[in-house]
Amino acid sequence: MSQVRINNLRKSYGALEILHGVSLDIEDGKFVVLVGPSGCGKSTLLRMIAGLETVTGGDIFIGDTRVNDIQPKDRNIAMVFQSYALYPHMTVAQNMSFSLRLKKEDPAAIDREVKRAAEILGLTPLLARYPRQLSGGQRQRVAMGRAIVRDPQVFLFDEPLSNLDAKLRVQMRAEIKELHQRLGTTTVYVTHDQIEAMTMADEIVIMRDGHIEQRGAPLELYGRPETVFVASFIGSPSMNLMNGTVVATTEGQGVQLGDGSVLTLVGNWNLPLGKPVVYGIRPEDIDIGRQDISVRVSVIEPTGPETQVLGTIGNDKITIQLRSRVGYLPGEVVALQIDHARAHLFDPDTGRRIEAA
Ligand code: ADP
Ligand code: MG
């Protein structure tokens, strides 16, 4: 049993409350990613699970044990940090076995564990090397090896890839995910990078200012963001969010944007006419076709498979991702269509999603 349960968890430093009552159940074996902007409390939450920060209020359970007052070393967790801080004077094998040697485990068992972890991580040929003789990715793998040898109930990762270059980050992302698929150990992974969250998580927990904004499977959050914050945080390029007002159309209701264009709302809507709304549409849900909107092109960015068009519609900025190659010129006004069924509506006052009746 290694599920993690967090119940109304609070953290204050003096009078300043950093976590405002966070509740979260993490199922046994799941890979959960905590994501959110810098300073929202991700590391604090993770460090509280690890036992590196005291609990101001609420409870943390690992398995069936309430761990609030249990020492970090007795929680049966392993944590990997951004700065993987290997001991420079120890070989890879010595670095990996350090915690087991501290616990005075049987040398033969330690040797077995190190070999097993090295095998899993592809470190077997490197066991006699020193950290300075390793690449960044290999060092990060040793840091993970140190965690694996302890065969913990829970892995905790705090931005473990932030120090790596972009290419290596993508590679290590896949390696960590593969590792999880192999070991099946419950994992809580912190990152500020929404792409890391989307690609790695079974479940994403989006944090903002010390509370949970929304949680769900990656594509659930992508397809149905509950708030403007989640809508703009998840997805790259970000969702277009434009201010408009509700108007009547021949088919039902629509949203009139600042430039006068009216976008049909699909489904059964019964909003007060004239109500201000935020109209959200993802860059890939806009295409060449019938004329829904007129966009003045400012920049064209071909990426190979796609073309990203940055432009303006009235006074709003808009980003469009086309699957075709286009020869638009800066300043040109082009007619584009919107996949109406994929629009998102939000209340500008509360920031919350509005649904059809
Ligand atoms: P994140 O990991 O999401 O970037 P942190 O959990 O590190 O955020 O920090 C959350 C907030 O708590 C920040 O505003 C940070 O300044 C504050 N904080 C973290 N540690 C301390 C501390 N020891 N004393 C006071 N404030 C702290
Ligand atoms: Mg942090």
Side-chain angles (χ1 to χ4, degrees), residues 38-39 41-44 82 158-159 190:
S38 181
K42 306 178 294 293
S43 294
T44 302
Q82 174 179 346
D158 194 353
E159 312 233 7
V190 162

Side-chain angles (χ1 to χ4, degrees), residues 3 11 13 25 44 53-54 82 84 99-101 107 144 177 189 200 209 217 219 221 232 234 245 260 263 276:
Q3 88 269 25
K11 178 68 184 177
Y13 292 106
D25 276 2
T44 302
E53 298 283 353
T54 56
Q82 174 179 346
Y84 17 94
S99 67
L100 301 181
R101 286 187 282 132
M144 285 193 280
K177 193 167 170 173
Y189 185 104
M200 297 177 85
D209 296 340
L219 292 178
L221 296 185
S232 56
I234 295 284
T245 48
L263 302 172

Side-chain angles (χ1 to χ4, degrees), residues 35 194 198 204-208 211-218 220-235 238-239 241 282 346 351-353:
V35 68
Q194 63 89 22
M198 287 295 285
I204 296 179
V205 176
I206 301 189
M207 291 184 63
R208 178 191 187 192
H211 72 263
I212 294 178
E213 182 87 357
Q214 189 179 353
R215 57 183 295 194
E220 226 171 273
L221 296 185
Y222 191 81
R224 200 178 169 287
E226 289 288 351
T227 64
V228 168
F229 177 82
V230 174
S232 56
F233 191 79
I234 295 284
S238 292
M239 185 188 288
L241 295 162
R282 293 208 181 271
F346 301 95
R352 299 206 64 83
R353 185 180 189 84

